[in-house]
Amino acid sequence: MAELDSGLTAWMLVSASLVLLMTPGLALFYGGMVRGKAVLNMMMMSFGAMGVVGIVYVLWGWSMSYGNESVGGLFANPFEQFGLGGGGVFDESGEAIISDGLPLIVDVGFQATFAIITVALISGALAERVKFSTWLVFAVLWVTFAFFPMAHMVWGGGLLSGDGPFAGIAEPVDFAGGTVVHINAGVAALVLVLIIGKRKGFGREPMRPHNLPFVMLGAALLWFGWFGFNAGSAYGADGVAGLAWVNTSTAASAAIIGWLITEKIRDGHATSLGAASGIVAGLVAVTPAAGSLSPVGAILLGLVAGALCALAVGLKFKFGYDDSLDVVGVHLVGGLVGTIMIGFLATDGGLFYGGGFNLTVVQIIIAAVAILISGVVTLIIGLALKATMGWRVSDDAEVGGIDLAVHGEAAYESLGGARKTTEVKA
Amino acid sequence: MAELDSGLTAWMLVSASLVLLMTPGLALFYGGMVRGKAVLNMMMMSFGAMGVVGIVYVLWGWSMSYGNESVGGLFANPFEQFGLGGGGVFDESGEAIISDGLPLIVDVGFQATFAIITVALISGALAERVKFSTWLVFAVLWVTFAFFPMAHMVWGGGLLSGDGPFAGIAEPVDFAGGTVVHINAGVAALVLVLIIGKRKGFGREPMRPHNLPFVMLGAALLWFGWFGFNAGSAYGADGVAGLAWVNTSTAASAAIIGWLITEKIRDGHATSLGAASGIVAGLVAVTPAAGSLSPVGAILLGLVAGALCALAVGLKFKFGYDDSLDVVGVHLVGGLVGTIMIGFLATDGGLFYGGGFNLTVVQIIIAAVAILISGVVTLIIGLALKATMGWRVSDDAEVGGIDLAVHGEAAYESLGGARKTTEVKA
Amino acid sequence: MAELDSGLTAWMLVSASLVLLMTPGLALFYGGMVRGKAVLNMMMMSFGAMGVVGIVYVLWGWSMSYGNESVGGLFANPFEQFGLGGGGVFDESGEAIISDGLPLIVDVGFQATFAIITVALISGALAERVKFSTWLVFAVLWVTFAFFPMAHMVWGGGLLSGDGPFAGIAEPVDFAGGTVVHINAGVAALVLVLIIGKRKGFGREPMRPHNLPFVMLGAALLWFGWFGFNAGSAYGADGVAGLAWVNTSTAASAAIIGWLITEKIRDGHATSLGAASGIVAGLVAVTPAAGSLSPVGAILLGLVAGALCALAVGLKFKFGYDDSLDVVGVHLVGGLVGTIMIGFLATDGGLFYGGGFNLTVVQIIIAAVAILISGVVTLIIGLALKATMGWRVSDDAEVGGIDLAVHGEAAYESLGGARKTTEVKA
Amino acid sequence: MKLVTGVIQPHRLDDVKSALEAAGVRGMTVSEASGYGRQRGHTEVYRGAEYTVDLIPKVRIEVLVASEDAASVTEVIVAAAQTGKIGDGKVWTVPVDDVARVRTGEHGVDAL
Amino acid sequence: MKLVTGVIQPHRLDDVKSALEAAGVRGMTVSEASGYGRQRGHTEVYRGAEYTVDLIPKVRIEVLVASEDAASVTEVIVAAAQTGKIGDGKVWTVPVDDVARVRTGEHGVDAL
Amino acid sequence: MKLVTGVIQPHRLDDVKSALEAAGVRGMTVSEASGYGRQRGHTEVYRGAEYTVDLIPKVRIEVLVASEDAASVTEVIVAAAQTGKIGDGKVWTVPVDDVARVRTGEHGVDAL
Ligand SMILES: Nc1ncnc2c1ncn2[C@@H]1O[C@H](COP(=O)(O)OP(=O)(O)O)[C@@H](O)[C@H]1O
Ligand SMILES: Nc1ncnc2c1ncn2[C@@H]1O[C@H](COP(=O)(O)OP(=O)(O)O)[C@@H](O)[C@H]1O
Ligand SMILES: Nc1ncnc2c1ncn2[C@@H]1O[C@H](COP(=O)(O)OP(=O)(O)O)[C@@H](O)[C@H]1O
């Protein structure tokens, strides 16, 4: 329908705004978790992603994801609607094209925010030790070769969508980005830390969060923004959006409790870092599933995701990879939990609702393919950058603090004694 | 009308999101006000409430508040729509039922956020000294026996609603929760501090806020979220919502000034804590009244609420009860100011607009009944928990800092010297 | 059309809420940039503006801006709709009047938030040294004599609008407040710092930001809120709003990169303060232009604005005026960049799109007139206050910290040792 | 002259300060410190990793006194800071050659 | 050797540092402290409760010097830190048995 | 008795602490400090204004020891804190007249 639905449009404008806010929320969530000497760099990885990905999305991101010229179901032609031209978003008279009641230009904004946050998620694995320039280049390459194709495959009618080859088994479900966003980012994080290596002192020195209220506030902003992420993905201001909203919030609530119980039993303490992490784990898990569960199913999913992720974040110590802020433990594991549990919990087609195994099987296939593609693409980009620009800052910069070394700043005021030296060059 | 109003639905989805954000806003507002050794515990009381109440609401909260089987006008049958089943929110085919243009599942989300914030409000009275486990159990009991019933009584067609026995005098007004939320939480806070007792050193040692910018940011997030709270309570994206929005913002503005003038005269300083507190006081007072005032009335109400609450927060020192963060002084007093001043300021039926005393009388009755019910229920729960689980942490834990003792964490980075000891149990 | 558009109304309610949040966002952005001994005062200038301007807007602000009785195209009669009476916003029966689908009372709320943020913007120039009482009086005077008239001139059908004398050249464009908000505030800031003078030690002592994560969070909240500011200024939940949304976000992204590249080349470091400042610079520049650009045009505008503002913030050291937090360098310069580049980049009438020079000329005229009016009005108010109340706190208060001296508070917990002395006066 | 330095539990500071005032001490300098000693540190938990933190917050008090007052000031601090629990801290005395008051340039006991 | 310790007003630190540099002192250690003394504390107000804070922010400077330089370094600090207002602080000198430079292991005056 | 004070690089604290433990030292007091010396400070940049910060974060360790242990404790600290780079810091020793343990009121070497 080419007629504008102003209620839907209002909701999508809000949803886009909410999802945009998630990235600074993430910056705070991550920033609070690193040591005080690296908080600015940590936040700058998110803010840098907001810069480059925001530009790239308008230039070729939309065209590669949702353009009309699919290349083998893997990605769409980046040049077709380059710079939002080509008549895909605006008609000849420059008017915004309306599709299903929504001006497509609003959808562009909404989708751009997903690209930004997905890239930013990865940075959690790279805390305290990575060159800012390499990161920015990585962001451009990865969003181009890993994210836009995955969005095309899952949501743009490509390989992993309802129009793809696996849909014969059952229609695969990724409501708001379990594969595209979380599995994708989680795999990328794992591959990168293996390439880049650990922080100096990892596993020996304590690396405690320098500001836990920031972590909690960041988690809260993520929760808030996630309403746009999930309920916005209903592309309607209607009952489906309402269901997604309630499932999202309920899963987050349940995952807090799932995580805290797990910690309390294991460590004897229910921590604030656990509550904040539980929130994110629940939100991740419910992302692909928000439209397919009953609210009681969302409670179950949240409890399981909270508990499993609480266990999974310890793996890095076991296996010795420095996934510094647990992108793997929370986003990969949480994304898998959500993607696969849809097979059981979906009210329409899930095993527990008499739907048989088909949905579970297709969900596992989808997840596996996504892991494979994301892994290979990230590996190539990661190794290429290692060979060329290099990933790591110098040891001195890392030990002395990356904020000072790379950004020339200290996050917090400290004892006086600075002298203004250079005349400002204006 | 069973037809969807997408504009209304968009607004209610947003409103629910805004109100959800209020609880972390409150966590920051409260967290900044306690000492640095107790900030995590303070925030965890809010985040814990987001966990348990979020689950409970879906299970039996909605059914007890808005179910069809009222028990004597006091509460509704929790089992009728347990888990949002029972055909109240979704029809047989699983579609969301639409009522007055809004899918009821959206209303579930919106209402759940009210339950969460109301419980979280109480925690301000319990700063720095309460067992986290007892708090979580209290949250479940209190929301079940005090909040859901009050919501039913006032908004669900029960005892204190327009369908109740007092409506003969005049139709009682509680637009967005003056009684259900603020008086209810304020009374509970007062009763609990009397049961639980003071912090060690209360009234002797200084207990200064450890981070006032957090307090101000928290107050700002509350203001922002309150637009959903009040203007969302119009259940329309229309002129009534607009009026509620303007009244809400204007009352907050006026209450800043009311509070600051009071302090400036009394103490010689206009403080940032006063500005933040004034915001909350104004928002509390305008909550029941947002739909009934003219904007100039909102200025008046805000000024009075700001000034009176500024005076009321000193009472705890006079009477020696440790309502640590002034839940009584701001929410009980502010809620009473708003509830009762409706009798004077309501453009429809208020004394100043020629409506006689009836409205004032019914508002006072409503408030008094709410105080009584909330007080008795809280007393029973509070004493029962005292006798069983106990409320207080050990003296050592309290003096040494509840964050470390209970949550095993310190909010901020401090001097190095930690050693990783245990292998992580994953 | 007198019929309600609930989608539009929902969007405008949200937009108003978003813009309201910008002022605390700004408080954090500014507060993080000053030294720790002055953060509360810095934030209180914003919160104080929220207090007084919020009241004043309802009383005479709306009437002076959008009333029906224009006085020579300069401002409208403040008494016509004083207190939102006079039948302009509500009809005789007290119902909200609907205009173009939107209840006017919603527009009142939306516009009030613009007045608040504009006043608050100016405070960045006055950091660490100004009497709070003088600031509050200034806020009332300036919003009355500089802001409401400018809003009337540009948006209320006055001198600088499409109905004014310059519209013959070309229709002037100020989509969301390049002149009314940013040039206006930027000029006021420049005039005031010349009247008030520098901080003690300016240009000699280092004055480093005390908390850069606050600055980044503040910038993020501004970005989020700016969606309401710009996309809300479309007064529609439609494609124009969508375009404004995408242009706003894209310009901010590009300006991050523009600023960081400039710094990297000049100083060797890409800073977090630069990223945060770039965001604001891009948002400022796109404010007047958000509805007239293509998204690729927004990239160009953002890059230019980021780079130019990065250079402009150094001017204060060159010329020796203490525009402490760069209101001139970011808002005046950014506002001019946006206002004038519309002449080149507007897809409808811009030079690059074959529209000739007319649009550029009229934009320059508009900007010049705005600078003149704002400059003169601010000069008069600033000098009058200097002669009467005085602007500066004592040297001791400034050196010892304005938070303690003026507000009687310290932002952060420090070493114990306080004693409660006075009984609280309740 | 002597410099008496005490490292004590933070929550005893107010009482020590009062006791010193009562004993006629008119000035002191206080700073934050962390102590390592017999007192067992606490355990912090972050995402399942447990850390033992063996540096415990303390407060350092420095008091310049006339030589003859060193012993009594030490006793005042010990008495006021004592809780009897492990970790109460230490008080020690160091000889001082000279003291100057910055404001006036006075030296010696007059500068105290 | 001697250890000269100064407790001064925070906003005098830059000047004291410059003066010491000018006087040929090539190293020092600086830390934050709070002072209690004749200087009246300030009043803080929180929701109507007034607190008198009698610990005032100061900065502590420690300079290790050869014994013969102790007096002159003291004078340099006093001169540079002086504002003439109550609360300007103290400078005191303590005897030092030995100094070692960590980097090289050198001892004595060479280690300064 | 003696007071051995070390000003060292913050990231050496853990190693120094371990080395002292290994050498039988059972207590110490640690605090934050900033050092000025041969080590070049870093540059911070804020909106185009460059600042040279010549005060560099350090950690101060204080250990009370019996007089005969002063030299060996000094060597332990020097050895453990050494990286060989400029800025490694200093260790110095000051005579102590008396030490008291707050918890018990004991004096002298018993109080350590
Ligand atoms: N040898 C020492 N040198 C310097 N400070 C010490 C020494 N031993 C203990 N301290 C300080 O005294 C504090 C208390 O010491 P601890 O051994 O824990 O208890 P106690 O003194 O009651 O036996 C420590 O935290 C530390 O700050
Ligand atoms: N007896 C003392 N021992 C240690 N420090 C002291 C002593 N007396 C004063 N001080 C320090 O010197 C500072 C200034 O002292 P004060 O009495 O306020 O002013 P003044 O030295 O100008 O008379 C105090 O804040 C404190 O840090
Ligand atoms: N004369 C001194 N008095 C007190 N502390 C000093 C002195 N000289 C150096 N220091 C401390 O030792 C640290 C290292 O000194 P520095 O000259 O930079 O390197 P190094 O000791 O390796 O030659 C300084 O940062 C400072 O804390």
Side-chain angles (χ1 to χ4, degrees), chain E residues 21 30 62 97 100 102 111, chain F residues 2 34 36 60 82 90-91:
Chain E
E21 274 182 79
V30 181
E62 288 166 299
D97 295 348
V102 173
Chain F
K2 301 287 179 185
S34 302
Y36 169 87
R60 178 202 283 108
Q82 204 169 62
K90 314 281 176 200
V91 182

Side-chain angles (χ1 to χ4, degrees), chain A residues 5-8 10-11 14 18 34-37 202-206 208-214 216-217 219-221 223-224 227-228 231 236-243 245-246 249-250 252-257 260 264 266-276 279 295-296 299 303 310-315 317-318, chain B residues 4-14 16-21 24 28 39-40 43-44 47-56 58-59 82-84 90 96 98 103 105-106 108-110 112-113 116 132 136 210 214 217 221 224 404-420 423-426:
Chain A
D5 178 343
S6 70
L8 165 62
W11 173 235
V14 174
L18 287 170
V34 299
R35 288 174 287 180
K37 63 184 180 180
F202 174 73
R204 197 164 37 82
E205 271 178 51
R208 300 181 287 166
H210 88 286
N211 194 320
L212 281 165
F214 279 177
M216 299 178 87
L217 176 58
L221 291 178
W223 189 337
F224 179 59
F227 289 129
D238 57 14
V240 178
L243 178 63
W245 197 104
V246 168
S249 201
T250 304
S253 291
I256 293 178
I257 302 305
L260 292 186
K264 179 75 189 174
R266 186 185 55 189
D267 312 320
H269 293 285
T271 68
S272 68
L273 184 60
I279 288 170
V296 173
I299 294 178
L303 288 172
L311 297 173
V313 295
L315 293 178
F317 293 109
K318 277 254 167 59
Chain B
L4 183 77
D5 176 345
S6 69
L8 165 63
T9 305
W11 173 235
M12 295 310 293
L13 286 165
V14 174
S17 308
L18 288 170
V19 183
L20 192 281
L21 184 64
L28 217 59
V39 50
L40 297 179
M43 296 183 77
M44 280 295 275
F47 278 70
M50 294 176 87
V52 292
V53 178
I55 296 173
V56 158
V58 162
L59 293 180
F82 188 90
L84 306 184
F90 303 102
I98 292 169
I105 184 67
V106 176
V108 170
F110 183 61
T113 60
I116 291 171
F132 187 58
L136 290 183
H210 87 287
F214 279 178
L217 176 57
L221 291 178
F224 179 59
L404 268 180
V406 168
H407 303 288
E409 296 169 293
Y412 307 105
E413 196 171 52
S414 62
L415 202 64
R419 251 176 339 190
K420 182 131 135 283
E423 254 322 276
V424 181
K425 298 148 273 180

